[in-house]
Amino acid sequence: MEDDRHNNIGTNKLPNFLLSVKLKYVKLGYHYLISNAMYLFLIPLLISASAHLSTLSIQDILVLWENLKFNLLTVTLCSCLIVFLGTLYFMSRPRGVYLVDFACYKPEAARMCTKEIFMERSGLTGSFSEENLMFQKKILERSGLGQKTYLPPAVLRVPPNPNMAEARKEAEEVMFGAIDEVLEKTGVKAKDIGILVVNCSLFNPTPSLSAMIVNHYKLRGNIVSYNLGGMGCSAGLISIDLAKQLLQVHPNSYALVVSMENITLNWYFGNNRSMLVSNCLFRMGGAAVLLSNRNSDRGRAKYQLLHTVRTHKGAEDKSYGCVFQEEDDTKRVGVSLSKDLMAVAGEALKANITTLGPLVLPMSEQLLFFATLVARKVFKMKVKPYIPDFKLAFEHFCIHAGGRAVLDELEKNLELSDWHMEPSRMTLYRFGNTSSSSLWYELAYTEAKGRIRKGDRTWQIAFGSGFKCNSAVWRAMRRIDPAKEKNPWVDEIHEFPVHVPKVATITIGSSSSS
């Protein structure tokens, strides 16, 4: 048997990460704010100078000219100063990154897998013991997944036939389905795409997934392409951050970001319970996002990207090993979940949120938070910690639908309402854990409900192996009319939300999981 690190799933509670923060992450947040907003200090200066000049009359300007025309040095210095400030402003100002549109892949009905079908096919494989079949049934009952999630044909077939050819078919079906839809929605030609970023954690064939897309759509030869592998469920926001940085140095460009996970070759056929949990949660899905830095796209874009914050805890051994792909005792490959997973996730979330706070919270919240933090950490005063109200910074929350337990704990720690958590819970219920693409199903749900108004801010937050926690903040450029939208929810949005009852946790060894 393997050690407890691999046989047990940790407790289903996150540590209360907002009650204990480190000053270095607060400092990092203010460092981001200052380094990324230097150009903001130039705007008031230029506005002030323009306002002062606007008060001058024609006579004042003539008098000024008479005084200056005999002073060549003053005129030269003033001209150089104006040119310098203007150049500094335009060089330091980051390019706007706009989300023109996005698409989430909705598999055909033949891919649908109810809980009963899941259990029937799992039993027919002959791979699982009776005890572990019952274990999977209990996990399904407590997972928060509904009856309409999707699995690829190779897994649903009797007997299952996972192989490279089937895995490629799944990848092509998901990626091309999402890309076709986003190109149709935006009217952008494939040849116009200059940047391509694809992420899939567990399936990395040769040629790469990005090469598959380049070949299928005959993208141009000088395209800047990246293929991210092994980065877990948070890789979708890593891809967004990478695309954002590339758009800062490639003017007048479109960037296509494709996020997915591949189920076919990563179905676990063993009896290690920490590896069986993934079978019960992960489902088929993917998303394609089209970003632009063109000013001409500002008017039609849905969102503008305001911030991305990435946190990596991989330097700590406990964090590095909490989600681990490896072989079990029978040499079957699976992804094991450590009993420390929830604690590690809490620490990563704490660091990420603390860094993000100075970038997004109103000044009143920052002052209260910072004052109590200094009082506790520096002056060792016994004062109650102040928990910032992130609902003042964001109208909408898209929290990675990794599992019901994490959603429950985040709802409690961030003091969010059922309304705020609805997109995440309904995505988990309808589509399951689609890994890095789940955030886009959640945003699509919010759009289909008609909740997005011009100026609304949306916080996407995801976490994954490594261990990483990443955030992205978007501002709506316009109201999103659900009647004009095409996304996987619109034809059934009237059925949601559904009530998902809370149930007790189950015990695995000395630990528990929901």
Side-chain angles (χ1 to χ4, degrees):
M1 293 294 292
E2 299 177 19
D3 59 27
D4 286 344
R5 181 178 71 85
H6 299 133
N7 280 337
N8 298 321
I9 309 299
T11 62
N12 68 322
K13 292 186 178 294
L14 289 171
N16 199 332
F17 49 85
L18 288 178
L19 297 183
S20 174
V21 297
K22 296 182 180 180
L23 282 171
K24 68 176 182 179
Y25 295 119
V26 179
K27 180 181 177 182
L28 183 58
Y30 282 106
H31 170 73
Y32 286 161
L33 182 65
I34 294 170
S35 61
N36 292 328
M38 181 177 67
Y39 72 97
L40 291 177
F41 294 102
L42 296 175
I43 294 177
L45 181 61
L46 294 174
I47 292 176
S48 177
S50 300
H52 181 70
L53 289 173
S54 65
T55 63
L56 297 179
S57 64
I58 298 297
Q59 189 62 35
D60 293 331
I61 294 174
L62 291 174
V63 171
L64 181 62
W65 171 250
E66 288 296 327
N67 291 331
L68 290 178
K69 71 180 182 179
F70 298 110
N71 194 335
L72 181 61
L73 179 61
T74 303
V75 173
T76 302
L77 290 176
C78 288
S79 300
C80 290
L81 180 61
I82 293 172
V83 171
F84 172 76
L85 290 176
T87 303
L88 184 61
Y89 168 71
F90 286 106
M91 290 184 65
S92 62
R93 182 185 63 174
R95 301 180 193 274
V97 175
Y98 306 104
L99 191 160
V100 183
D101 214 328
F102 67 97
C104 300
Y105 177 68
K106 186 175 185 178
E108 58 187 48
R111 310 279 189 265
M112 201 169 286
C113 179
T114 65
K115 295 177 183 178
E116 291 75 19
I117 291 176
F118 179 95
M119 292 308 305
E120 176 199 353
R121 303 298 163 84
S122 294
L124 290 174
T125 64
S127 300
F128 309 111
S129 66
E130 285 298 323
E131 292 81 4
N132 280 334
L133 284 172
M134 291 304 300
F135 168 76
Q136 291 181 78
K137 185 177 180 180
K138 291 179 181 179
I139 289 289
L140 279 178
E141 291 171 351
R142 294 156 172 79
S143 65
L145 273 67
Q147 293 285 67
K148 294 184 178 181
T149 59
Y150 302 95
L151 285 174
V155 174
L156 290 174
R157 194 171 288 125
V158 181
N161 66 331
N163 55 59
M164 181 63 76
E166 288 292 328
R168 286 184 182 275
K169 287 181 182 179
E170 180 193 349
E172 291 172 354
E173 183 179 332
V174 172
M175 294 192 304
F176 300 162
I179 295 171
D180 286 346
E181 184 176 327
V182 80
L183 294 180
E184 179 186 352
K185 291 168 74 172
T186 60
V188 172
K189 298 178 181 178
K191 289 286 187 181
D192 293 332
I193 297 171
I195 299 168
L196 173 64
V197 183
V198 184
N199 68 268
C200 182
S201 189
L202 295 175
F203 180 56
N204 293 285
T206 300
S208 66
L209 297 174
S210 60
M212 290 167 62
I213 294 173
V214 171
N215 176 261
H216 181 78
Y217 292 96
K218 308 305 177 188
L219 302 183
R220 63 201 203 195
N222 65 342
I223 190 167
V224 180
S225 65
Y226 292 85
N227 197 96
L228 307 183
M231 304 193 79
C233 298
S234 67
L237 294 186
I238 295 175
S239 297
I240 292 293
D241 180 67
L242 175 58
K244 179 190 77 170
Q245 296 184 46
L246 292 169
L247 286 170
Q248 296 304 312
V249 295
H250 293 276
N252 202 36
S253 296
Y254 284 113
L256 178 63
V257 174
V258 181
S259 297
M260 62 164 290
E261 191 52 82
N262 191 282
I263 305 296
T264 298
L265 282 182
N266 296 290
W267 200 254
Y268 176 62
F269 291 96
N271 283 282
N272 184 316
R273 290 191 173 186
S274 70
M275 295 179 176
L276 282 171
V277 174
S278 297
N279 286 9
C280 301
L281 295 178
F282 282 90
R283 294 296 184 265
M284 186 179 181
V289 183
L290 188 70
L291 303 175
S292 173
N293 60 11
R294 301 184 180 195
N295 288 328
S296 59
D297 286 318
R298 180 183 176 91
R300 67 168 182 150
K302 282 186 172 181
Y303 306 94
Q304 181 176 6
L305 181 59
L306 300 182
H307 307 289
T308 53
V309 174
R310 293 169 55 178
T311 301
H312 203 309
K313 306 290 285 186
E316 302 170 4
D317 291 342
K318 184 170 68 172
S319 298
Y320 174 75
C322 71
V323 181
F324 213 86
Q325 186 181 29
E326 59 187 346
E327 295 175 329
D328 65 9
D329 292 340
T330 62
K331 303 303 178 182
R332 293 183 174 94
V333 175
V335 177
S336 66
L337 307 179
S338 164
K339 63 181 180 180
D340 298 319
L341 177 59
M342 294 295 282
V344 166
E347 289 300 313
L349 284 164
K350 177 177 70 175
N352 189 271
I353 289 174
T354 307
T355 302
L356 181 68
L359 299 175
V360 298
L361 287 171
M363 189 55 67
S364 58
E365 290 294 297
Q366 293 193 46
L367 289 174
L368 288 170
F369 172 75
F370 191 73
T372 56
L373 181 64
V374 170
R376 287 169 56 84
K377 298 290 185 178
V378 179
F379 298 103
K380 307 300 181 183
M381 297 174 62
K382 294 183 178 180
V383 296
K384 184 179 179 180
Y386 180 74
I387 302 175
D389 186 359
F390 279 88
K391 296 187 294 295
L392 297 175
F394 308 109
E395 285 73 34
H396 309 286
F397 295 79
C398 294
I399 301 168
H400 168 54
R404 202 199 61 201
V406 174
L407 295 181
D408 289 347
E409 289 302 307
L410 276 171
E411 178 181 4
K412 182 177 70 175
N413 276 281
L414 295 177
E415 299 180 352
L416 302 178
S417 67
D418 290 340
W419 187 88
H420 291 116
M421 298 299 299
E422 186 180 309
S424 299
R425 293 193 187 282
M426 293 306 100
T427 294
L428 182 64
Y429 179 84
R430 177 61 181 85
F431 293 97
N433 181 349
T434 61
S435 190
S436 58
S437 65
S438 68
L439 298 174
W440 301 107
Y441 287 90
E442 294 165 19
L443 187 56
Y445 179 91
T446 307
E447 291 183 353
K449 278 291 184 179
R451 297 179 178 180
I452 302 294
R453 299 289 186 269
K454 182 178 180 179
D456 281 2
R457 297 153 299 177
T458 300
W459 179 18
Q460 292 181 320
I461 185 165
F463 40 89
S465 58
F467 194 88
K468 300 177 287 295
C469 179
N470 302 310
S471 290
V473 179
W474 304 89
R475 181 177 62 215
M477 304 295 289
R478 55 183 170 86
R479 176 182 174 271
I480 307 299
D481 184 357
K484 299 178 181 179
E485 284 300 305
K486 179 184 178 182
N487 75 38
W489 295 96
V490 290
D491 59 345
E492 53 185 276
I493 193 65
H494 59 280
E495 301 175 11
F496 298 93
V498 298
H499 176 65
V500 182
K502 294 184 178 181
V503 293
T505 60
I506 61 175
T507 301
I508 309 172
S510 59
S511 302
S512 62
S513 174
S514 65

